[in-house]
Amino acid sequence: MIRAILFHIIPLLLPFIVYGVYLYFNSRSGGDKKWGKTSLAVATISGLLLMAVSLIVLGLVSGEPREGTVYVPPRFEDGRIIDSQIVPAEKKE
């Protein structure tokens, strides 16, 4: 669950948080900027791009190693369904 939060929600919300902090400090120093349609659009697009990058990175660095393993699909044996598995490949000598 924590992985889902880290790789989905945080990259999406990060541009909004950064821009919100910028607006907070800008208003404290006398600035008059506010949330506008353009800034919301830019924050949304950059958040979606960050989320896409995080999903690509997650797909590249996680998972089972492909070398030396074999996928065994689900099967029906003795009246029961056996789940799919990834098992080590048998070595041929």
Side-chain angles (χ1 to χ4, degrees):
M1 184 65 189
I2 193 79
R3 180 183 277 184
I5 292 172
L6 290 176
F7 284 97
H8 294 80
I9 297 172
I10 290 177
L12 181 63
L13 295 179
L14 189 62
F16 294 98
I17 294 168
V18 169
Y19 191 66
V21 169
Y22 166 73
L23 287 179
Y24 172 74
F25 284 113
N26 187 30
S27 67
R28 286 189 61 186
S29 65
D32 60 349
K33 287 192 173 187
K34 296 184 180 177
W35 289 95
K37 290 182 182 180
T38 305
S39 59
L40 283 174
V42 169
T44 302
I45 290 171
S46 59
L48 290 173
L49 287 174
L50 283 173
M51 186 173 66
V53 168
S54 70
L55 290 174
I56 291 169
V57 169
L58 179 65
L60 292 175
V61 299
S62 67
E64 295 289 325
R66 292 191 176 138
E67 295 81 24
T69 59
V70 177
Y71 172 73
V72 179
R75 60 194 181 279
F76 190 73
E77 286 183 5
D78 299 327
R80 298 183 325 160
I81 297 176
I82 308 296
D83 288 336
S84 62
Q85 302 174 24
I86 297 178
V87 296
E90 295 180 12
K91 293 183 181 179
K92 295 180 182 180
E93 295 182 22

